[in-house]
Amino acid sequence: MHELGIIVHVMRTVEEVAAENNLTEIRSVTCEIGEVSGVVPEYMIDCWGYARSRSELLKDSELKIEIIPGVTMCEDCGKTYSTVQYAKICPHCGSSATYLLEGNGFSIKEIEGA
């Protein structure tokens, strides 16, 4: 389960940002997770519940998750399509000359604190 490692990294990053901005409490952390990133949102939430109990700064915080859709671009026809629905084959022209545009990343989008 690599989600716990990701959560540990997120917590360290949030704690650094809090220290730089003199925050004493974190209310929520919003993460963007790519639909085809391999990160399981439910596991992230479970790991957050465990990890936040170990941090005074994050103990009452909420983890919010936004899913970024997987979008693939076809090099032959120039159109985009849903990666999850059609995978590697372009539904517009049938080409396999495609590449992933977005949807495989992970980022901290927002930190709400006081």
Side-chain angles (χ1 to χ4, degrees):
M1 178 189 311
H2 66 288
E3 285 79 5
L4 183 57
I6 294 169
I7 287 296
V8 169
H9 177 72
V10 168
M11 289 180 65
R12 287 182 184 150
T13 302
V14 169
E15 288 170 349
E16 289 173 11
V17 169
E20 291 170 3
N21 292 281
N22 299 317
L23 300 175
T24 58
E25 169 190 5
I26 300 298
R27 294 184 183 126
S28 69
V29 176
T30 303
C31 291
E32 294 179 321
I33 300 175
E35 185 177 35
V36 293
S37 67
V39 177
V40 180
E42 293 80 13
Y43 292 172
M44 292 288 290
I45 292 168
D46 288 346
C47 291
W48 186 260
Y50 166 76
R52 74 178 184 173
S53 69
R54 303 194 174 303
S55 169
E56 187 64 30
L57 179 69
L58 297 164
K59 68 179 181 180
D60 295 321
S61 65
E62 174 187 8
L63 178 64
K64 298 177 182 177
I65 295 177
E66 296 179 3
I67 303 298
I68 304 300
V71 177
T72 296
M73 168 68 97
C74 177
E75 292 180 323
D76 288 341
C77 72
K79 294 182 180 177
T80 60
Y81 62 90
S82 167
T83 305
V84 171
Q85 187 173 2
Y86 298 104
K88 178 108 174 105
I89 305 301
C90 176
H92 304 292
C93 71
S95 173
S96 63
T98 61
Y99 62 92
L100 188 64
L101 273 181
E102 61 183 39
N104 67 338
F106 177 91
S107 66
I108 300 171
K109 178 182 178 184
E110 183 176 69
I111 299 168
E112 181 186 353

